[in-house]
Amino acid sequence: MVRCAFGTAPPTAPKRRSTTAWNAPGKLVWRAIAGCFLRLTSTLRRALASTPDSNKLAIGFDEGAVVIQLGHEKPIASMDVNTGKLVWAKNNEIQTTTLKGVAGDAADGDALVVGGRDLGSCEIFPQTLMHNCNGRFICVCGDGEYIVYTSQALRNKSFGSALDFVWSGSGTGDYATRESISRVKIFKNFTENKTLKLPVSSAEGLYGGAMLGVKASDGVVFFDWEEGELVRKIDVVPEAVYWSEGGDTVVLACQESYFVLRCDRDAVAAAIQAGEVSEDGVEGAFEFVGEFADRVTTGKWVGECFLYTNSSHRLNYYVGGQILTLAHLDHEMYLLGYFAKEDRVFLIDKQLRVVSYKVLQSVLQYQTAVVRQDFETANGLLGDIPESEYPAIARFLESQGYKEEALQVTTDADQKFDLAFELGQLETALEVLTELPADERDTTDTMLRWKKLGDLALRNGDLDLLKRCATNSKDLAGLLLLYTSSGDR
């Protein structure tokens, strides 16, 4: 793949199997034929420059410059989240290591020291590499072919022709291949099962997960893995599709934003079983949850929490309609996965450097339980969460509309006062102010809080508390008004 960023090419530029860059006056600078060969003309006579963290190459010449991208930025690597084993490709060589115990006491964002051993050589040049749902197999796809290997010893399990390959979200040997723009096949237990009847003129890509997604020029079409039945067409064109572990929520990551949809798996299964699938699929199969203005580069689901990296070099996660930032990354990194046994999320960059960040599973499980409104489970998990995380938990509860629960959980005095004030709990707000350390009692913020509490006391007719608040906030005008109106000389 060769990409170019320079201006607009004239209409005479070649269109098939070549990429051409032009300088400002319209002179031919270089041509990449079939994405492989680069011919530099005499116009290029100044300089070449590259960066170690990307595949971009800048070419300077007499009358301007072009920037091209050679190949893909994303490393060809995959992590088995069940065992922590990492597999990656270097040219045709496949290597592996384990991330289990590697992080140790390393600080968040520090590069980890990971070894590696050779698994063997691949017969094709890998363009994608991915584990199946239980980590027992990996698939390498490239050069119009795919090969499925065992993940431990790189033994050949299956192979065939494919422009794209995706795994099912459940079956060990269930996958799909796209052989051409008109032929998509489903395999069950490594055996060909069905050829899809495509309702689109051109299949341009595949998405795996709980349902099989076929990318079209004007949307994405979802199919059932078991019967190959059409479920629904969604009129957006995603760059990637991410299904939750339970298969009831999906993220469609597009160029400028991402969409979150809820999937009614039971309704889909019932409609297929009853033979009530129309030419448009299953009515009510998906429910729109929200659109979020963030460009996802890589992502993984953990329960009801969607962990992802974005184009702004941030590690975020989405839960319950809220987006929270876990870390700011200093360069482009790609999410490998979340290793629950160590409460760590692992990322990798183009140079195959691996870093990790601590993300407590108990916090994610608690937030998942709250989103599902399973408060009994959430209360049981709260004791497993360190108190240092309680203010963050309270902010999450507040964002979900559970302000009283947030007030009970938080250990932050400022947050506790604000919640008590919003809920009209005078005694709790007063308690927060009276328990402040001596060095914080005369600050401007404290005086403002006494005044706010006094206003609330006035609205509630609590004159004794109003007097105390006016005294502590040194509100002399308010005290004069209070004493005058009450006849207190």
mmCIF file of all heavy atoms in Angstrom, residues 304 365-382 397 402:
data_model
loop_
_atom_site.group_PDB
_atom_site.id
_atom_site.type_symbol
_atom_site.label_atom_id
_atom_site.label_comp_id
_atom_site.label_asym_id
_atom_site.label_seq_id
_atom_site.Cartn_x
_atom_site.Cartn_y
_atom_site.Cartn_z
ATOM 1 N N GLU A 304 -19.246 -4.490 30.030
ATOM 2 C CA GLU A 304 -19.982 -3.419 29.339
ATOM 3 C C GLU A 304 -19.113 -2.179 29.144
ATOM 4 O O GLU A 304 -19.628 -1.116 28.797
ATOM 5 C CB GLU A 304 -21.233 -3.049 30.136
ATOM 6 C CG GLU A 304 -22.295 -4.119 30.145
ATOM 7 C CD GLU A 304 -22.903 -4.356 28.776
ATOM 8 O OE1 GLU A 304 -23.114 -3.375 28.040
ATOM 9 O OE2 GLU A 304 -23.151 -5.526 28.438
ATOM 10 N N GLN A 365 -16.016 -4.133 36.551
ATOM 11 C CA GLN A 365 -17.147 -5.003 36.874
ATOM 12 C C GLN A 365 -18.236 -4.234 37.614
ATOM 13 O O GLN A 365 -19.436 -4.440 37.378
ATOM 14 C CB GLN A 365 -16.674 -6.193 37.713
ATOM 15 C CG GLN A 365 -15.834 -7.197 36.938
ATOM 16 C CD GLN A 365 -15.290 -8.303 37.826
ATOM 17 O OE1 GLN A 365 -15.142 -8.123 39.047
ATOM 18 N NE2 GLN A 365 -14.989 -9.439 37.236
ATOM 19 N N TYR A 366 -17.823 -3.347 38.521
ATOM 20 C CA TYR A 366 -18.789 -2.530 39.253
ATOM 21 C C TYR A 366 -19.568 -1.631 38.296
ATOM 22 O O TYR A 366 -20.804 -1.548 38.359
ATOM 23 C CB TYR A 366 -18.053 -1.688 40.300
ATOM 24 C CG TYR A 366 -18.965 -0.775 41.103
ATOM 25 C CD1 TYR A 366 -19.582 -1.219 42.263
ATOM 26 C CD2 TYR A 366 -19.207 0.540 40.687
ATOM 27 C CE1 TYR A 366 -20.420 -0.391 42.998
ATOM 28 C CE2 TYR A 366 -20.036 1.372 41.419
ATOM 29 C CZ TYR A 366 -20.642 0.901 42.564
ATOM 30 O OH TYR A 366 -21.471 1.725 43.281
ATOM 31 N N GLN A 367 -18.847 -0.968 37.403
ATOM 32 C CA GLN A 367 -19.506 -0.079 36.453
ATOM 33 C C GLN A 367 -20.424 -0.860 35.507
ATOM 34 O O GLN A 367 -21.509 -0.397 35.151
ATOM 35 C CB GLN A 367 -18.456 0.721 35.679
ATOM 36 C CG GLN A 367 -17.697 1.699 36.556
ATOM 37 C CD GLN A 367 -16.562 2.382 35.816
ATOM 38 O OE1 GLN A 367 -15.995 1.821 34.894
ATOM 39 N NE2 GLN A 367 -16.222 3.592 36.231
ATOM 40 N N THR A 368 -19.988 -2.067 35.121
ATOM 41 C CA THR A 368 -20.827 -2.915 34.282
ATOM 42 C C THR A 368 -22.117 -3.278 35.001
ATOM 43 O O THR A 368 -23.212 -3.236 34.423
ATOM 44 C CB THR A 368 -20.062 -4.195 33.889
ATOM 45 O OG1 THR A 368 -18.916 -3.841 33.108
ATOM 46 C CG2 THR A 368 -20.944 -5.133 33.081
ATOM 47 N N ALA A 369 -22.012 -3.641 36.299
ATOM 48 C CA ALA A 369 -23.197 -4.000 37.080
ATOM 49 C C ALA A 369 -24.151 -2.814 37.215
ATOM 50 O O ALA A 369 -25.374 -2.971 37.146
ATOM 51 C CB ALA A 369 -22.777 -4.510 38.459
ATOM 52 N N VAL A 370 -23.607 -1.612 37.399
ATOM 53 C CA VAL A 370 -24.451 -0.425 37.515
ATOM 54 C C VAL A 370 -25.187 -0.165 36.201
ATOM 55 O O VAL A 370 -26.378 0.150 36.195
ATOM 56 C CB VAL A 370 -23.603 0.801 37.932
ATOM 57 C CG1 VAL A 370 -24.425 2.082 37.831
ATOM 58 C CG2 VAL A 370 -23.080 0.624 39.350
ATOM 59 N N VAL A 371 -24.457 -0.276 35.072
ATOM 60 C CA VAL A 371 -25.086 -0.063 33.769
ATOM 61 C C VAL A 371 -26.228 -1.056 33.554
ATOM 62 O O VAL A 371 -27.272 -0.727 33.004
ATOM 63 C CB VAL A 371 -24.034 -0.186 32.643
ATOM 64 C CG1 VAL A 371 -24.702 -0.214 31.275
ATOM 65 C CG2 VAL A 371 -23.051 0.978 32.715
ATOM 66 N N ARG A 372 -26.045 -2.280 34.033
ATOM 67 C CA ARG A 372 -27.091 -3.307 33.903
ATOM 68 C C ARG A 372 -28.150 -3.186 34.989
ATOM 69 O O ARG A 372 -29.066 -3.987 35.038
ATOM 70 C CB ARG A 372 -26.456 -4.697 33.962
ATOM 71 C CG ARG A 372 -25.568 -5.015 32.765
ATOM 72 C CD ARG A 372 -24.870 -6.346 32.933
ATOM 73 N NE ARG A 372 -24.100 -6.704 31.744
ATOM 74 C CZ ARG A 372 -23.243 -7.719 31.685
ATOM 75 N NH1 ARG A 372 -23.050 -8.470 32.763
ATOM 76 N NH2 ARG A 372 -22.595 -7.990 30.568
ATOM 77 N N GLN A 373 -27.985 -2.207 35.888
ATOM 78 C CA GLN A 373 -28.903 -1.975 37.010
ATOM 79 C C GLN A 373 -28.975 -3.182 37.941
ATOM 80 O O GLN A 373 -29.994 -3.448 38.562
ATOM 81 C CB GLN A 373 -30.301 -1.600 36.494
ATOM 82 C CG GLN A 373 -30.313 -0.304 35.716
ATOM 83 C CD GLN A 373 -31.708 0.135 35.306
ATOM 84 O OE1 GLN A 373 -32.644 -0.642 35.356
ATOM 85 N NE2 GLN A 373 -31.839 1.404 34.924
ATOM 86 N N ASP A 374 -27.869 -3.897 38.043
ATOM 87 C CA ASP A 374 -27.747 -5.020 38.973
ATOM 88 C C ASP A 374 -27.059 -4.492 40.235
ATOM 89 O O ASP A 374 -25.871 -4.698 40.464
ATOM 90 C CB ASP A 374 -26.927 -6.141 38.329
ATOM 91 C CG ASP A 374 -26.851 -7.388 39.197
ATOM 92 O OD1 ASP A 374 -27.402 -7.367 40.323
ATOM 93 O OD2 ASP A 374 -26.234 -8.375 38.769
ATOM 94 N N PHE A 375 -27.821 -3.804 41.076
ATOM 95 C CA PHE A 375 -27.241 -3.106 42.225
ATOM 96 C C PHE A 375 -26.807 -4.062 43.336
ATOM 97 O O PHE A 375 -25.919 -3.737 44.118
ATOM 98 C CB PHE A 375 -28.236 -2.074 42.757
ATOM 99 C CG PHE A 375 -28.587 -1.024 41.742
ATOM 100 C CD1 PHE A 375 -29.835 -0.985 41.135
ATOM 101 C CD2 PHE A 375 -27.655 -0.079 41.355
ATOM 102 C CE1 PHE A 375 -30.149 -0.036 40.182
ATOM 103 C CE2 PHE A 375 -27.953 0.884 40.408
ATOM 104 C CZ PHE A 375 -29.206 0.908 39.816
ATOM 105 N N GLU A 376 -27.409 -5.221 43.397
ATOM 106 C CA GLU A 376 -26.976 -6.205 44.396
ATOM 107 C C GLU A 376 -25.554 -6.650 44.122
ATOM 108 O O GLU A 376 -24.715 -6.715 45.020
ATOM 109 C CB GLU A 376 -27.936 -7.402 44.370
ATOM 110 C CG GLU A 376 -27.606 -8.456 45.428
ATOM 111 C CD GLU A 376 -28.582 -9.611 45.432
ATOM 112 O OE1 GLU A 376 -29.624 -9.521 44.730
ATOM 113 O OE2 GLU A 376 -28.327 -10.599 46.128
ATOM 114 N N THR A 377 -25.272 -6.953 42.854
ATOM 115 C CA THR A 377 -23.906 -7.324 42.483
ATOM 116 C C THR A 377 -22.951 -6.156 42.670
ATOM 117 O O THR A 377 -21.827 -6.329 43.148
ATOM 118 C CB THR A 377 -23.876 -7.798 41.016
ATOM 119 O OG1 THR A 377 -24.726 -8.928 40.872
ATOM 120 C CG2 THR A 377 -22.463 -8.171 40.592
ATOM 121 N N ALA A 378 -23.395 -4.948 42.292
ATOM 122 C CA ALA A 378 -22.541 -3.759 42.418
ATOM 123 C C ALA A 378 -22.159 -3.519 43.876
ATOM 124 O O ALA A 378 -20.987 -3.236 44.183
ATOM 125 C CB ALA A 378 -23.263 -2.546 41.852
ATOM 126 N N ASN A 379 -23.113 -3.642 44.778
ATOM 127 C CA ASN A 379 -22.811 -3.432 46.205
ATOM 128 C C ASN A 379 -21.836 -4.485 46.722
ATOM 129 O O ASN A 379 -21.000 -4.200 47.570
ATOM 130 C CB ASN A 379 -24.102 -3.458 47.013
ATOM 131 C CG ASN A 379 -24.983 -2.253 46.732
ATOM 132 O OD1 ASN A 379 -24.497 -1.197 46.351
ATOM 133 N ND2 ASN A 379 -26.289 -2.415 46.890
ATOM 134 N N GLY A 380 -21.943 -5.708 46.205
ATOM 135 C CA GLY A 380 -21.013 -6.746 46.614
ATOM 136 C C GLY A 380 -19.604 -6.513 46.120
ATOM 137 O O GLY A 380 -18.634 -6.915 46.765
ATOM 138 N N LEU A 381 -19.470 -5.851 44.969
ATOM 139 C CA LEU A 381 -18.150 -5.580 44.394
ATOM 140 C C LEU A 381 -17.476 -4.366 45.014
ATOM 141 O O LEU A 381 -16.252 -4.223 44.927
ATOM 142 C CB LEU A 381 -18.277 -5.359 42.882
ATOM 143 C CG LEU A 381 -18.633 -6.584 42.037
ATOM 144 C CD1 LEU A 381 -19.032 -6.147 40.634
ATOM 145 C CD2 LEU A 381 -17.441 -7.535 41.977
ATOM 146 N N LEU A 382 -18.263 -3.483 45.636
ATOM 147 C CA LEU A 382 -17.706 -2.233 46.146
ATOM 148 C C LEU A 382 -16.615 -2.471 47.177
ATOM 149 O O LEU A 382 -15.626 -1.721 47.240
ATOM 150 C CB LEU A 382 -18.824 -1.376 46.743
ATOM 151 C CG LEU A 382 -18.469 0.068 47.103
ATOM 152 C CD1 LEU A 382 -17.985 0.820 45.869
ATOM 153 C CD2 LEU A 382 -19.660 0.775 47.723
ATOM 154 N N LEU A 397 -21.209 7.237 39.206
ATOM 155 C CA LEU A 397 -22.579 7.090 39.684
ATOM 156 C C LEU A 397 -23.381 8.370 39.440
ATOM 157 O O LEU A 397 -24.549 8.327 39.043
ATOM 158 C CB LEU A 397 -22.582 6.736 41.170
ATOM 159 C CG LEU A 397 -22.123 5.322 41.540
ATOM 160 C CD1 LEU A 397 -21.950 5.191 43.048
ATOM 161 C CD2 LEU A 397 -23.120 4.286 41.035
ATOM 162 N N TYR A 402 -27.333 8.537 39.710
ATOM 163 C CA TYR A 402 -27.471 7.970 41.051
ATOM 164 C C TYR A 402 -26.701 8.843 42.050
ATOM 165 O O TYR A 402 -25.655 8.454 42.580
ATOM 166 C CB TYR A 402 -26.945 6.534 41.076
ATOM 167 C CG TYR A 402 -27.612 5.628 40.071
ATOM 168 C CD1 TYR A 402 -26.888 5.039 39.037
ATOM 169 C CD2 TYR A 402 -28.983 5.378 40.131
ATOM 170 C CE1 TYR A 402 -27.492 4.214 38.115
ATOM 171 C CE2 TYR A 402 -29.606 4.559 39.202
ATOM 172 C CZ TYR A 402 -28.855 3.977 38.198
ATOM 173 O OH TYR A 402 -29.474 3.166 37.274
#
